[in-house]
Amino acid sequence: MFHVLSRSLQHARPASLALRRCYCAPAGVDCVVERLTGDREGIAVFGLNRPAAKNAISRNLLKEFEEAITSVRYDKNVRVVILRSHVPGVFCAGADLKERAKMKQEDVGPFVAKARSTIGDIENLPMPVIVALDGVALGGGLEMALACDIRVAATNAKMGLVETKLAIIPGAGGTQRLPRIVGLAKAKELIYTAAVLNGSEAEEIGLVNHVAQQNESGDAAYQKAVEIAEKILPNGPVGVKMAKAAISKGMEMDLGSALSLEEACYAQVIPTKDRVEGLTAFREKRKPQYTGE
């Protein structure tokens, strides 16, 4: 079972940083779920926590990760999800090859299918998902990041789809999501050569949205991810969710169908209380108080 924490980060930046530095993820829990409170209420943080295995993707990690995803999918109080690591210098080293080596050949396909399905569930969460890459993200680790809406990397991050080095291919969505993000030709080059990029190189080709200079506590990407999440929180949650649906699903359609989808998504925000509140707050020159209704 994944572990849920709730902690307040409503104080000033120095105090928040101190809280982050003294926080330790529970031992033996592969996926820690934190629900931030105070000024950051509405942010849920999924923390990968397999230090001995560099957060390698195992059966148990997938199980706990799936439970974490399910716990927020229909929770109207969660407006943004952040995916991070609690292991210094590592986001996720990819599949757990030690566990994989012990699998029977007939078990490998179902395991990879489960990983592909779980990573797809990240992508299909209704709220925005931001991933913080404060270290190595290889193979399945990068595939996990590709399924997120916004990617933030620290300068010391290392990322790549390196499966061809093992005579296999990315099997959890990498061959499809990478070209959609960086373009067909660049994706082919990166996968064929098993290239590993740092944060700055990844930003140059549009693989990540932001690159942050790594700090002493090793969580620069996470801090930047929280800043982005804070900018999302004040906006209408239904509007944000409908925008995500329109963009993500529309990109897989022809323009005419995508415009019809946009119309359908817009129709869902018209009857909401939040839309009326937004107009009222604008007229009264005050900050809107959205409820997600």
Side-chain angles (χ1 to χ4, degrees):
M1 175 74 79
F2 68 92
H3 190 83
V4 181
L5 295 175
S6 180
R7 60 193 176 108
S8 175
L9 288 176
Q10 61 185 335
H11 307 292
R13 289 288 177 194
S16 298
L17 182 56
L19 281 170
R20 282 197 294 270
R21 283 176 171 169
C22 69
Y23 169 71
C24 294
V29 179
D30 289 352
C31 183
V32 180
V33 177
E34 299 172 75
R35 293 175 183 266
L36 306 189
T37 57
D39 293 340
R40 292 167 176 172
E41 185 173 355
I43 301 175
V45 183
F46 295 174
L48 304 183
N49 184 44
R50 294 192 72 209
K54 297 182 178 179
N55 289 338
I57 301 171
S58 63
R59 285 190 174 105
N60 190 65
L61 177 60
L62 282 179
K63 175 179 175 293
E64 292 190 12
F65 199 41
E66 185 64 41
E67 290 174 353
I69 293 169
T70 300
S71 75
V72 303
R73 185 185 305 280
Y74 302 110
D75 190 340
K76 291 184 178 181
N77 295 318
V78 177
R79 299 188 180 186
V80 186
V81 171
I82 296 177
L83 177 57
R84 67 170 302 191
S85 166
H86 288 299
V87 180
V90 176
F91 174 71
C92 175
D96 188 333
L97 298 181
K98 290 183 179 180
E99 183 180 80
R100 180 78 62 84
K102 297 176 183 178
M103 289 183 188
K104 297 178 181 179
Q105 184 171 330
E106 58 266 28
D107 293 334
V108 175
F111 174 79
V112 174
K114 177 62 177 177
R116 185 184 304 115
S117 173
T118 302
I119 289 175
D121 287 340
I122 302 171
E123 186 174 54
N124 292 325
L125 278 172
M127 67 287 291
V129 182
I130 306 171
V131 63
L133 304 174
D134 275 304
V136 174
L138 300 176
L142 180 55
E143 289 180 299
M144 201 178 287
L146 293 174
C148 299
D149 297 291
I150 299 172
R151 285 165 292 283
V152 182
T155 47
N156 69 325
K158 299 291 183 183
M159 63 198 81
L161 297 179
V162 297
E163 284 85 351
T164 54
K165 284 189 174 183
L166 297 173
I168 57 176
I169 68 170
T175 63
Q176 303 307 307
R177 292 191 179 95
L178 185 62
R180 284 167 166 78
I181 292 170
V182 303
L184 181 63
K186 179 56 70 174
K188 286 182 175 180
E189 178 187 349
L190 294 175
I191 292 173
Y192 295 168
T193 63
V196 175
L197 308 178
N198 61 34
S200 297
E201 292 169 333
E203 184 187 39
E204 288 177 4
I205 64 171
L207 179 53
V208 301
N209 299 66
H210 301 275
V211 60
Q213 183 66 42
Q214 191 56 282
N215 56 32
E216 291 182 5
S217 54
D219 66 349
Y222 173 63
Q223 290 191 40
K224 180 64 178 178
V226 172
E227 288 180 15
I228 296 170
E230 288 177 324
K231 294 178 181 178
I232 296 173
L233 285 179
N235 300 328
V238 178
V240 171
K241 289 179 180 179
M242 287 298 99
K244 174 173 178 173
I247 295 168
S248 298
K249 296 178 181 178
M251 286 299 294
E252 306 303 320
M253 303 176 176
D254 63 85
L255 182 58
S257 299
L259 290 172
S260 296
L261 172 65
E262 179 185 82
E263 182 179 12
C265 289
Y266 197 102
Q268 293 188 54
V269 304
I270 292 175
T272 63
K273 294 179 181 179
D274 279 353
R275 187 183 73 87
V276 176
E277 167 63 11
L279 293 172
T280 303
F282 178 78
R283 185 177 64 251
E284 297 176 353
K285 298 182 180 180
R286 62 173 174 81
K287 182 178 179 180
Q289 301 296 319
Y290 295 124
T291 62
E293 297 178 346

